[in-house]
Amino acid sequence: MSALAVKLTSLAVKTVAKPLAKQVETFALTHPTTRQWLMRMAQGYHRLQINVTRRVEGKEGKAFVGTITDEKAMDTASKLVSETVVFSIAGVLVMWEYRKSVEKENAKREEKIRRAREIEEEATREKLDTLRHLKSLADRIKHIESVVEELKRENHDGNRSRTAWAWLAR
């Protein structure tokens, strides 16, 4: 899949994530058990937010953090649910894109390894061919040397006989 298609798909999923988050939010806020759990989570988030804000401002010590109204808790919970869904989808997309890029890098690496093996095999074949040719040449050289030695012997024997005849002819 091309990079453009991946980016367009990611953009489409992110665009669909917001209405999907709204649907999940609506479901979560209308379901009684989920609603209670979300309200407790919103109260905890409120306490965390107040404590972090106090620490950032440099205020030390414990402070009383009152509960927020049910309406404010539901508003906070709805934002948390919505943002959680959007960030979860974005996180999945980031992991998916990362996995795709890793697969692409692995494919490139495997292709390089395959190509290197092909080159190595070709070099080995050429080396074996060269060794066969060298052996053939060595055999030919040995044959030529034996022929030359035989011719030398024949020539030497022939020179002796000529020399002997030349002595007798005197």
Side-chain angles (χ1 to χ4, degrees):
M1 189 184 286
S2 70
L4 180 61
V6 169
K7 294 298 179 186
L8 288 175
T9 302
S10 295
L11 183 60
V13 170
K14 287 176 186 176
T15 302
V16 170
K18 291 179 183 177
L20 178 65
K22 193 67 173 164
Q23 289 290 333
V24 170
E25 175 187 334
T26 302
F27 171 76
L29 295 177
T30 57
H31 193 272
T33 306
T34 310
R35 182 180 169 90
Q36 289 301 317
W37 183 78
L38 286 174
M39 287 180 67
R40 283 194 305 273
M41 188 175 72
Q43 292 291 348
Y45 178 74
H46 172 69
R47 280 191 294 279
L48 177 68
Q49 188 177 21
I50 295 297
N51 287 329
V52 168
T53 304
R54 286 178 51 77
R55 290 272 167 101
V56 169
E57 291 173 351
K59 298 178 181 175
E60 294 185 20
K62 291 189 174 190
F64 173 75
V65 179
T67 59
I68 54 177
T69 65
D70 286 350
E71 185 178 313
K72 180 80 171 162
M74 291 313 299
D75 184 48
T76 302
S78 68
K79 287 178 185 175
L80 285 173
V81 168
S82 181
E83 291 299 319
T84 301
V85 169
V86 170
F87 283 127
S88 296
I89 290 172
V92 168
L93 285 175
V94 167
M95 289 188 312
W96 181 71
E97 288 178 7
Y98 175 75
R99 186 179 57 84
K100 286 300 232 183
S101 70
V102 166
E103 287 174 359
K104 191 175 184 180
E105 289 173 14
N106 287 342
K108 283 181 183 178
R109 185 175 31 246
E110 290 297 322
E111 177 61 24
K112 285 181 182 178
I113 289 170
R114 185 192 63 76
R115 183 67 183 129
R117 284 182 183 152
E118 285 178 358
I119 291 170
E120 185 178 353
E121 289 171 0
E122 179 65 27
T124 302
R125 281 192 297 273
E126 288 178 6
K127 181 179 177 182
L128 289 174
D129 287 346
T130 302
L131 289 174
R132 276 190 231 112
H133 286 4
L134 285 174
K135 184 173 178 350
S136 172
L137 288 173
D139 291 344
R140 287 180 183 174
I141 289 172
K142 283 180 186 176
H143 177 71
I144 290 171
E145 286 175 345
S146 67
V147 168
V148 167
E149 283 299 318
E150 188 177 317
L151 289 173
K152 280 182 181 178
R153 268 186 264 125
E154 287 176 6
N155 189 21
H156 183 64
D157 290 343
N159 280 342
R160 255 197 244 149
S161 63
R162 262 193 250 137
T163 310
W165 285 108
W167 182 76
L168 288 173
R170 278 194 202 169

